Structures are given as structure tokens and as C-alpha cells.
Amino acid sequence: MKRLTVELGERSYPIWIGAGVLGQLPRLLEEAGINNQRKLFIVTDEHVAPLYLDKTTTVLRNAGYMVYHSIVEAGEKAKSLSIYERVMTEALEAGLDRQSAFLALGGGVVGDLAGFVAATYMRGVAFVQIPTTLLAHDSSVGGKVAVNHPLGKNIIGAFHQPRLVAYDTELLKTLPSREVAAGFAEVIKHGLIWDEAFVEWLEQNADGLQRFDDNLLQETLLRACSVKVAVVSEDEKERGLRAILNLGHTFGHAFEALCGYEKLNHGEAVAIGMVAAAMLAEHLGMASSISNRTRRILKQYSLPVVLPYAMEADAIIEVMRRDKKGEGGKLVFVLPTAIGKVEIRKDVAEEAVRDVLCALQEGGKL
């Protein structure tokens, strides 16, 4: 197993990465201060439950923990206030108290939902991230937890750091190919915002990574999580540097919302959003020759680079105005200036954004 540490003073926590991490969970919980005198409540979804819920429950019960669970529907629709209320009710019925802990067993949706429940249950209790998707390497680190509102993604949320992240790479091997591709979108993002050498490494190892070579996969997760750790350790609550992690997300969240959180998954929407951000940077004269390379690496990982569904540019902009990253109704973008470098821009004219959005639906070139 490999270990990273998110440095947040008294709230610092480890990220464990490797094959077989799940079997070590009781020891890792004990080290994190969650002993077997506490009740545990696992939140998972209908896709993950048949694969890993029994195994996780057995490991924990064999170590003396009292374990309860809630199975929610798969996908973004689980991040709703109605599902949040249901999980809260089930936790209360199970008798969880302030010493109990929630475990998120699943992808980013489950992590966001379980984390928000933990953040608000009795004003905040412990929780643990057990990611089962590649995409969740990003969302499981950093303490952002939330549910959606029909008018915007992740609008209702909090910052609530986990006690630990237990990332068992064996759990990734049952992922559908589309989910694997979605996960690589956020991996690539970490290179594009921070580390050109990592982008080059991803370009060179695309074939092996898509075959899920275990050594390459662990190295990928370590390097991608290291970027997230460095940023979050410096800026936990997104008052400055952490905003760079939103490359592609202002566009992407709007695409997801206008598709009803169904037609595009998060990674696909962010991939298209990163192309849009690169095109916008070029359109504004901030960079050159970035969008082509961005498209090329995303295509290597079977990700979309143009909008596959018709959307009105004005409708997209209206959704972006409500994005929580906006300020005073103005659009805020993370835009690349080079591969591995980005800037936060709060002064982008809507007409420039509209030009990019129209081009994105007409073949992807301005």
C-alpha cells in the first residue's frame, strides 16, 4: 500500500492506495480513531452493493463493529434532498450517535451524499471514503460534500473532511469502460492544471492504463491524488488556489444540468468543459495550441471533446451564472495558459463564452 497525507493540522488524514486495502480497513479505522465500540453506517448504491457491500460488512463485523447500511439508486439522482432525508432517517432508526461514523462505499455521488449526511448528522460526525471508481480519486479527497438542487449541481453542501480515504485498486476492476474513461477525465485534469510531466506520462502510458495495469494504475492514482493533496493542504476551503481544481467544471456542471444529470456523466461533461476552457483561453489570447493537445489526450482515453447534444448557448450561460463558483452574477473560469498552468479569470465577456459554446457544437473549432 502507498500512503499520502492531507496536511490540515489536527484534521490531517491519510489516503491509502493499493490492492487489498479493504481487508486492512479495521486496522486503518482504529488508527484513525474509529474503534470497534462505535456504530458504522455504510452508504452505497445499487450497483456497488451486490459487488462489495457483503465483503465490507463482513470484514468490519469480524473486527467487532456494529454495521448498518443504506442502498441508494445509482447516479446523480441520488444526490437529492429526498434521498438525503431518507438516509438520515435510516441512520436515526439505527441509533447512530455522535460517536458513530458513516462510510461512503462507492463513487463520487455516494461520497458526496454520505459526506453531506455525516457533516449535518447531529452537527457533524466522522466519515470515511472508500472509493470504488476511478473518478472518485478526485471527489474523495478534500472534504467537499454536497447534494444537488434542480437549479444547480452541488449547491447544497459543506466542507467536511473524512478521517481517512481507503482506496483499494482491486475494486476498480469491475468498472464499465465508460466509467473508467470518466475517471481519467479528472486524472488528466490534475496534470493539465499542475504538472506537464504528468500529462506526458499519461500520453505515453494510455494503452497500459486502459488495460488497468496495476502498477501503472497505482502510480496514476498516487500522482493525481498528490496534486489534489498539495492544493487542498494549502487552501482547504477554496479561498484562492483550490479554485484551480475547477478546470472545465464551470462549463461541465452546466452541461450536466441541462442534460438532466443523465445523458452525460460527470467525467464526460468535465472533459468537454476542459476543451471549452482551452478554446476560450485561445480566443482571449491567453494561450496558443492548447486545445488541440487537450483534445488529443482526452481522445486517447475515449472521452468526448465536443458537445454531443444540442444546447442553446444562452441556456448554458444562464446555468453558469448560478454556479456556486460565480461572484455577483459574473462568470468565473479556470483557464489554461500552458499545459500544466492555469489562471482564474473573473472578467470574461459573455460574448466570448458564447462564441466558444457555438463553436463547440459545430465541430469544436473557432
Side-chain angles (χ1 to χ4, degrees):
M1 291 193 300
K2 299 181 179 181
R3 173 180 170 144
L4 294 169
T5 301
V6 181
E7 300 287 355
L8 294 171
E10 293 181 354
R11 289 173 295 101
S12 298
Y13 57 92
I15 305 167
W16 293 98
I17 301 170
V21 169
L22 192 60
Q24 301 295 315
L25 192 55
R27 177 178 65 82
L28 301 180
L29 289 171
E30 187 78 29
E31 290 177 2
I34 304 173
N35 59 44
N36 63 7
Q37 302 304 305
R38 302 189 184 200
K39 291 181 177 180
L40 303 180
F41 192 96
I42 300 172
V43 181
T44 190
D45 69 32
E46 59 193 6
H47 289 169
V48 175
L51 298 171
Y52 304 121
L53 179 57
D54 284 349
K55 180 178 180 180
T56 306
T57 300
T58 299
V59 166
L60 293 169
R61 285 181 176 161
N62 286 344
Y65 288 94
M66 294 180 64
V67 185
Y68 306 86
H69 70 260
S70 178
I71 301 173
V72 302
E73 64 180 301
E76 283 285 333
K77 288 187 176 180
K79 283 174 58 174
S80 67
L81 286 173
S82 61
I83 299 296
Y84 162 82
E85 182 180 13
R86 193 195 95 191
V87 176
M88 275 284 193
T89 300
E90 291 170 345
L92 286 164
E93 290 173 346
L96 268 69
D97 58 25
R98 287 180 174 173
Q99 301 306 309
S100 302
F102 288 86
L103 275 59
L105 177 66
V109 167
V110 166
D112 281 2
L113 172 65
F116 187 54
V117 171
T120 51
Y121 189 85
M122 296 187 178
R123 296 194 174 95
V125 299
F127 93 109
V128 172
Q129 292 272 19
I130 309 172
T132 63
T133 68
L134 184 58
L135 186 64
H137 85 275
D138 181 64
S139 58
S140 65
V141 178
K144 279 187 176 182
V145 296
V147 294
N148 298 331
H149 186 279
L151 295 181
K153 183 179 171 74
N154 296 334
I155 293 296
I156 306 164
F159 287 94
H160 189 59
Q161 299 295 343
R163 291 289 185 88
L164 71 102
V165 179
Y167 213 143
D168 192 332
T169 54
E170 289 293 319
L171 275 56
L172 304 180
K173 294 182 178 179
T174 55
L175 286 174
S177 58
R178 186 179 177 190
E179 291 301 318
V180 172
F184 278 117
E186 293 281 10
V187 170
I188 293 165
K189 178 202 74 177
H190 285 117
L192 292 176
I193 66 172
W194 194 265
D195 187 353
E196 184 178 9
F198 184 33
V199 173
E200 292 173 355
W201 188 86
L202 290 169
E203 290 170 332
Q204 293 165 3
N205 290 285
D207 290 343
L209 281 168
Q210 290 178 94
R211 292 195 306 269
F212 261 47
D213 177 284
D214 197 60
N215 290 330
L216 290 176
L217 183 61
Q218 289 192 42
E219 179 67 17
T220 297
L221 291 171
L222 187 69
R223 292 179 72 163
C225 287
S226 293
V227 173
K228 186 76 177 275
V229 166
V231 173
V232 171
S233 294
E234 185 170 330
D235 179 20
E236 179 185 4
K237 295 190 175 179
E238 203 169 304
R239 296 189 172 97
L241 178 66
R242 184 167 178 169
I244 70 172
L245 295 167
N246 293 319
L247 176 66
H249 284 62
T250 299
F251 285 106
H253 283 174
F255 300 155
E256 284 184 89
L258 289 172
C259 284
Y261 302 111
E262 291 182 339
K263 294 180 181 179
L264 288 172
N265 65 36
H266 180 67
E268 291 165 343
V270 167
I272 301 167
M274 289 191 291
V275 173
M279 292 171 62
L280 183 56
E282 291 173 349
H283 194 41
L284 297 174
M286 296 173 59
S288 60
S289 304
I290 288 181
S291 63
N292 284 338
R293 189 173 178 189
T294 301
R295 288 187 191 92
R296 187 166 64 247
I297 188 171
L298 292 170
K299 286 180 178 179
Q300 279 186 282
Y301 286 87
S302 303
L303 286 158
V305 296
V306 296
L307 268 174
Y309 306 106
M311 298 181 193
E312 292 291 334
D314 287 343
I316 298 171
I317 290 171
E318 182 58 34
V319 174
M320 288 195 290
R321 283 199 193 99
R322 295 194 294 266
D323 191 282
K324 62 187 182 302
K325 295 178 288 297
E327 296 181 10
K330 293 184 178 180
L331 305 180
V332 177
F333 294 98
V334 179
L335 300 179
T337 57
I339 299 297
K341 295 181 181 179
V342 293
E343 289 183 4
I344 300 168
R345 290 288 298 267
K346 304 178 182 181
D347 59 347
V348 179
E350 285 189 10
E351 193 56 41
V353 178
R354 191 173 286 105
D355 289 343
V356 166
L357 290 170
C358 291
L360 199 62
Q361 298 185 85
E362 295 170 0
K365 300 289 179 70
L366 280 167

